Amino acid sequence: MNSIFAAFYLLTLAVSIVFDRKALKNAKKAVKVVYICTILFLLLIFTSQFLHIVVPMPIYFFIHTVSPWLVNALGLQA
């Protein structure tokens, strides 16, 4: 993710939070919890990117860990 996309996405997130404040006041508690958890997760990802910490993504884990094990387990290796 390049810095232009990250800056634009953070700006969009901030604007979304401002506009959603009124709707969140009347929302159920479960909706508020999901909304807050999503925002915290996104901020954690952006902070880790800013600090140059590589966060392993699920597809990376699958390609480099699960896939070779599955190929060996099924005996598909040529």
Side-chain angles (χ1 to χ4, degrees), residues 66-78:
V66 176
S67 184
W69 174 83
L70 189 62
V71 167
N72 287 335
L74 294 176
L76 298 175
Q77 203 166 27

Side-chain angles (χ1 to χ4, degrees), residues 2-3 5 9 19 24 29 31 34 36-37 40-43 45 53-54 59-60 64 66 70-71 73 75:
N2 62 19
S3 59
F5 176 76
Y9 195 79
F19 286 132
L24 284 174
K29 186 174 182 177
V31 173
V34 169
I36 290 170
C37 288
L40 290 176
F41 178 72
L42 289 172
L43 291 175
I45 294 293
I53 299 171
V54 178
I59 193 70
Y60 179 86
H64 294 286
V66 176
L70 189 62
V71 167

Side-chain angles (χ1 to χ4, degrees), residues 44-57:
L44 177 72
I45 294 293
F46 284 122
T47 304
S48 65
Q49 180 186 3
F50 179 73
L51 297 174
H52 302 290
I53 299 171
V54 178
V55 178
M57 292 294 148

Side-chain angles (χ1 to χ4, degrees), residues 15-26:
V15 170
S16 174
I17 291 170
V18 169
F19 286 132
D20 287 345
R21 280 186 307 158
K22 291 180 184 176
L24 284 174
K25 287 181 183 177
N26 300 328

